[in-house]
């Protein structure tokens, strides 16, 4: 186990390093942020002073090394646009995104897994067909359009829920959350639903396919022959076996939603990290973009690790040893 | 409601709470201010927000006319000395009285502002050689070069309270920290509101980046009291959800709904809207210098854009009215000069450029291009309203008269650095005049570059007209208003005749609001709570 963790750690550091180089060079390559920040009527001397202050006068490799140097000390640079530390800017938005994704994934799992089981156990029945057809819709509707439709239906026509923003928040252990106030819940409902729908569809399909397959396996037949009740076969044997791919996908989806739920956040003006990323790319705010992608990478690495640990818990055959990774 | 007591109670609560509810205002913004610090970045959303919390010596009204604010009157000595008389009896929101010291302090801050984006007010105060306070309510400013538009520009420089920093005697001695003994604040220090102390009609309440900016009425404000006790700004960058929020009743006022969506609320009694022409002009800048130009292909290998007849033909080939009607949905005004008629230094009757493809073809033939030529128009696709569609339309108009035009549309992050490296032959541009005077465009774009005078910084097309240069250089140091206006008109005529800049239209801004409100739109496109009043 220790060897495994150590190996994963070294891998993670290498991945982070590679990602930082790629993103740094990519944003550098797009264009010059000074042209976007400084109005054209500014004198060349003032402009040059600003370029020097931001360190943009140095060759790119020197800029990268100085970034790496401060990154090792925990300083991921200062936003060109906002003039405050990039990491702080991102972390301030992390709770909003995190709670949104957490709620969306929970909704997706709590509705998706049972529906998937239902569809998988009786694949030919009418409700199952309806569920499976629904998943195709859930997948294929573009997030942006779906978001606007949700707003139109629930906010404009019915007037039940607010269109955008985060609503009232309360602090739990210093972290602001919308999940504990009525106003906050009303605000989070639509964006969470918008994020949950495609994931729900994904889970239904995964669970249904897994269930159909598992039901034909020998261990199920044996259990049935032994006279085990159907309920127990599904709950104890089938579910446990099919959850491995579901956990993997849910983990990956969780990571990518936290990092890149940009569209939903934009449509619902949810003050999360995705919106910050898009704004920062538009403004070539390199410190924020680089810090963001590094943080997202770290998140993926962590989620993957967590998923691997869950495997071990779900499947007794999986052992976390150094050579597995 | 069976119980009459409960009924009475509920009714009473409604009556009591109604006025309080009616006094709060929620405004959805399309772009969020990047900071609370009013000296951080000279950017429209930032400046609009700053004007709620802070006052300046002067202010501009909705038509960008300069009016007294913290200064009640000003005069200059005909050269470079300005005397401003300050308003008596003004207090900051923290109760401190406003005096000349605060003005000196604020001017110093713009020059001692290490986190500021270049060009954010330091270019105005950097032109000061001395700022003196002969008494507590008089300020005398001496500038390096005569600056006739100083009162216009001072409308953007927010006055902070000197009481926010420990200091000794305050003097405009920048090398010696102006007498301030504490550390000058940086942009992040303003975001919690402790330093956001001003004399403006509102005061800072809270700021959560990306979520909201909350203000409350400043009861110590010297001017008439605002009708709103609380104002909340929410950033909703996407136009669709912003309008949906208004329709659902989440917002009282929204800025910049898409013009094509205005028809959605046109016939709805619950909402109103206003379309206000702005000073932002959209134009194409032609490369009239290089031979050959990178994105022009001709049979003779020359740069046809150097020929004034070709430039005129291009301008005549464009149907401005159709672009405004079809692409801009009416939310624009045709431009025949570079600042709307009526503003300082503009022509009262600029020659109308009518759509005349026949004349354009004739001019092209005269210039020796009867078969036209090939050109690529460069444009942003995320900077100006409908920028890439406008360029596509212009390309088609040009193609109709024989100039085969392609469009190269790109994000602003790519476009602006490339344009400043002069990589284009025909490039879209947009310019809003912060001073409200014609000099703003004329000294920046067509003037021959002169680093020392900071003019001509955007003359990417290499436009050169010595007579125009003489006019604009004289105009910007002429303090006599009548004379300056005349010089600017002459200079403007030269640029229109030169044809190296093809004006298209002035963008209009749109605001939509609940019908129990009124909104007075501003030419500078600022969205401000002070523009909102309850409808009578």
């Amino acid at each position: 186990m220790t060897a495994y963790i150590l190996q994963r750690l070294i891998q993670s550091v290498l991945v982070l390093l590679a990602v930082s180089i790629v993103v740094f060079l990519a944003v550098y390559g797009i264009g010059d942020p000074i042209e976007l920040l400084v109005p054209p009527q500014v004198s060349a001397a003032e402009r040059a002073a600003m370029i020097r202050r931001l360190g943009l006068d140095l060759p790119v490799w020197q800029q990268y090394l100085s970034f790496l140097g401060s990154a090792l000390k925990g300083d991921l640079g200062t936003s060109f646009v906002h003039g405050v530390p990039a990491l702080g800017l991102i972390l301030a938005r992390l709770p909003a995104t995190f709670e949104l994704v957490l709620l969306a994934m929970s909704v997706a799992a709590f509705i998706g897994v049972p529906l998937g089981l239902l569809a998988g156990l009786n694949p030919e029945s009418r409700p199952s067909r309806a569920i499976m057809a629904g998943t195709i819709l859930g997948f294929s509707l573009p997030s942006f359009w779906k978001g606007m439709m949700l707003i139109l239906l629930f906010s404009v026509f019915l007037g039940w829920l607010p269109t955008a923003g985060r609503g009232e928040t309360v602090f739990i252990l210093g972290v602001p959350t919308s999940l504990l106030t009525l106003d906050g819940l009303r605000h989070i409902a639509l964006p969470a639903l918008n994020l949950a729908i495609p994931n729900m569809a994904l889970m239904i399909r995964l669970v249904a396919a897994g269930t159909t397959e598992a039901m034909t396996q020998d261990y199920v037949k044996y259990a049935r022959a032994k006279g085990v009740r159907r309920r127990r076969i599904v709950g104890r044997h089938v579910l446990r076996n099919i959850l491995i791919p579901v956990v993997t996908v849910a983990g990956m989806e969780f990571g990518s939603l936290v990092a890149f739920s940009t569209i939903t956040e934009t449509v619902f003006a949810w003050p999360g990290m995705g919106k910050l990323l898009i704004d920062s790319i538009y403004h070539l705010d390199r410190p924020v973009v680089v810090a963001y992608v590094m943080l997202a990478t770290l998140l993926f690495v962590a989620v993957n690790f967590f998923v691997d640990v869950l495997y071990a818990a779900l499947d007794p055959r999986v052992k976390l040893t150094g050579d597995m990774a | 409601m069976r119980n009459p007591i409960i009924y009475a109670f509920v009714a009473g609560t409604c009556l009591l709470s109604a006025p309080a509810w009616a006094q709060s205002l929620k405004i959805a913004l399309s772009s969020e201010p990047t900071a609370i610090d009013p000296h951080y970045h000279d950017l429209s959303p930032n400046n609009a927000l700053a004007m709620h919390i802070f006052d300046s010596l002067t202010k501009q009204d909705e038509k960008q006319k300069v009016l007294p604010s913290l200064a009640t009157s000003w005069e200059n000595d005909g050269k470079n000395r300005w005397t401003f008389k300050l308003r008596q009896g003004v207090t900051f929101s923290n109760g401190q009285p406003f005096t000349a010291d605060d003005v000196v302090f604020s001017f110093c801050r713009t020059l001692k502002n290490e986190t500021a984006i270049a060009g954010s007010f330091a270019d105005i105060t950097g032109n000061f050689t001395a700022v003196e306070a002969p008494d507590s309510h008089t300020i005398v400013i001496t500038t390096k070069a005569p600056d006739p538009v100083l009162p216009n520009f001072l409308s953007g420089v927010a006055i902070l309270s000197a009481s926010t920093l420990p200091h000794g005697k305050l003097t405009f001695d920048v090398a010696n920290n102006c007498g301030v003994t504490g550390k000058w604040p940086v942009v992040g220090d303003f975001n919690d509101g402790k330093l956001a102390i001003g004399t403006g009609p509102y005061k800072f309440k809270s700021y959560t980046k990306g979520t909201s900016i909350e203000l409350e009425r400043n009861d110590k404000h010297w001017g008439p009291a605002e009708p709103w006790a609380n104002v909340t700004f929410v950033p909703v960058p996407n136009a669709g959800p912003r309008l949906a929020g208004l329709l659902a009743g989440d917002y009282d006022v929204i800025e910049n709904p898409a013009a094509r969506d205005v028809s959605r609320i046109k016939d709805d009694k619950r909402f109103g809207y206003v379309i206000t022409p702005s000073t932002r002009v959209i134009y194409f800048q032609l490369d009239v210098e290089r031979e050959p130009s990178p994105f022009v292909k001709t049979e003779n290998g020359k740069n046809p854009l150097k020929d004034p007849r070709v430039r005129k033909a291009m301008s005549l080939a464009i149907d401005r009215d159709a672009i405004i009607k079809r692409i801009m949905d009416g939310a624009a005004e045709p431009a025949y000069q570079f600042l709307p008629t009526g503003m300082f230094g503009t022509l009262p009757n600029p020659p109308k450029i009518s759509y005349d493809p026949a004349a354009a073809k004739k001019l092209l033939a005269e210039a020796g291009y009867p078969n036209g030529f090939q050109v690529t128009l460069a444009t942003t696709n995320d900077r100006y309203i409908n920028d890439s569609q406008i360029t596509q339309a212009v390309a088609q108009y040009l193609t109709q008269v024989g100039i085969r035009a392609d469009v190269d549309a790109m994000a602003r992050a790519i476009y602006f650095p490339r344009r400043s490296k002069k990589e284009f032959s025909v490039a879209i541009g947009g310019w809003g005049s912060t001073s409200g005077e014609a000099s703003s465009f004329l000294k920046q774009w067509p003037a021959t570059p002169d680093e020392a005078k900071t003019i001509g910084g955007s003359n990417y097309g290499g436009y050169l007209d010595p007579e125009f240069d003489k006019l604009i250089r004289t105009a910007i140091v002429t303090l006599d208003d009548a004379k300056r206006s005349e010089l600017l008109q002459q200079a403007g005529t030269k640029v229109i005749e030169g044809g190296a800049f093809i004006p298209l239209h002035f963008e209009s801004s749109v605001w939509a609001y609940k019908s129990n409100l009124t909104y007075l739109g501003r030419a500078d496109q600022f969205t401000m709570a002070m523009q909102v009043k309850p409808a009578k």
Side-chain angles (χ1 to χ4, degrees), chain A residues 92 166 271, chain B residues 32 191 204 206-214 235:
Chain A
R166 200 175 170 199
Chain B
E32 191 187 10
N191 292 345
F204 177 94
S206 77
Y207 169 48
T208 318
K209 214 170 252 151
T211 306
S212 69
I213 299 164
E214 290 182 58

Side-chain angles (χ1 to χ4, degrees), chain B residues 178-233:
Chain B
C178 299
V180 167
T181 47
K183 191 182 163 302
W184 288 97
V186 294
V187 53
D189 298 338
F190 283 79
N191 292 345
D192 64 359
K194 266 191 224 108
L195 293 177
I197 306 293
T199 57
Y202 289 94
K203 53 186 184 178
F204 177 94
K205 195 162 143 202
S206 77
Y207 169 48
T208 318
K209 214 170 252 151
T211 306
S212 69
I213 299 164
E214 290 182 58
L215 306 176
E216 57 191 357
R217 185 165 47 213
N218 177 10
D219 293 322
K220 296 195 179 73
H221 180 55
W222 52 272
E226 288 294 317
W228 314 110
N230 296 289
V231 174
T232 310
F233 290 102

Side-chain angles (χ1 to χ4, degrees), chain A residues 138-274:
Chain A
F139 268 134
S140 42
L141 293 181
S143 183
F144 186 84
W145 183 84
K146 192 161 36 103
M148 286 303 295
M149 288 303 122
L150 286 176
I151 290 179
L152 266 185
L153 181 64
F154 288 103
S155 308
V156 178
F157 292 139
L158 297 172
W160 291 349
L161 297 168
T163 51
R166 200 175 170 199
E168 196 185 326
T169 55
V170 286
F171 284 86
I172 299 296
L173 305 171
V175 179
T177 173
S178 315
L179 293 174
L180 295 171
T181 65
L182 185 66
D183 186 52
L185 283 174
R186 276 162 44 83
H187 278 85
I188 203 173
L190 286 186
L193 186 62
N194 197 41
L195 272 188
I197 287 173
N199 285 293
M200 205 186 296
L202 187 68
M203 292 208 184
I204 291 175
R205 293 199 83 89
L206 273 175
V207 172
T211 311
T212 317
E213 198 193 320
M215 289 307 280
T216 61
Q217 297 285 313
D218 288 343
Y219 65 86
V220 174
K221 288 183 189 153
Y222 179 69
R224 217 182 262 165
K226 238 173 57 172
V228 180
R229 271 178 300 132
R230 186 177 157 89
R231 214 195 163 87
R232 191 171 158 81
I233 295 176
V234 174
R236 172 97 191 144
H237 301 286
V238 174
L239 196 59
R240 208 166 158 183
N241 273 290
I242 61 167
L243 272 188
I244 288 180
V246 174
V247 167
T248 314
V249 172
M252 301 297 286
E253 277 296 302
F254 186 85
S256 74
L257 284 188
V258 167
F260 308 113
S261 53
T262 315
I263 294 175
T264 297
E265 287 185 0
T266 308
V267 172
F268 293 94
W270 189 258
M273 309 198 306

Side-chain angles (χ1 to χ4, degrees), chain A residues 30-33 35-47 49-50 53-54 78-84 89 92-93 144 148 151-152 155-157 159 161-167 187 266-272 275-276 279 281-284, chain B residues 26 32-35 40-43 113-120 122-123 187-188 191 207 209-211 234-238 240-241 243-248 250-251 264 382 411-414 416-420 431 434 444-445 451 454 457-458 460:
Chain A
I30 296 174
D32 185 356
E35 292 293 333
L36 297 179
L37 282 173
V38 181
Q41 68 268 34
V42 171
S43 71
E46 261 191 89
R47 182 181 300 254
M50 172 109 191
R53 177 160 70 75
L54 298 181
T78 301
S79 160
F80 294 161
V81 175
H82 294 93
V84 295
L89 211 55
R93 296 185 173 227
F144 186 84
M148 286 303 295
I151 290 179
L152 266 185
S155 308
V156 178
F157 292 139
L161 297 168
T163 51
R166 200 175 170 199
H187 278 85
T266 308
V267 172
F268 293 94
W270 189 258
K275 227 171 108 215
L276 179 69
D279 292 346
I281 291 175
Y282 276 143
H283 291 107
L284 294 181
Chain B
K26 205 167 182 188
E32 191 187 10
T34 56
Y40 173 61
H41 197 174
D42 187 1
L43 215 61
N113 192 356
E114 60 171 282
T115 42
I117 304 291
S120 300
D123 49 343
V187 53
N191 292 345
Y207 169 48
K209 214 170 252 151
T211 306
V234 234
V236 187
N238 222 286
L243 184 70
L246 177 76
L247 295 176
D250 289 353
Y251 314 124
R264 172 77 180 74
D382 60 351
R412 65 176 121 173
I414 298 166
F416 288 118
R418 281 186 69 186
R419 187 179 68 179
S420 70
W431 191 256
T434 43
Q444 182 63 27
W445 294 84
E451 187 48 46
T454 63
S458 302
Y460 309 121

Side-chain angles (χ1 to χ4, degrees), chain B residues 354-371:
Chain B
S354 34
Y355 172 54
D356 194 345
K361 274 188 197 156
K362 209 171 138 217
L363 276 168
L364 280 176
E366 272 174 35
Y369 299 96
N371 301 321

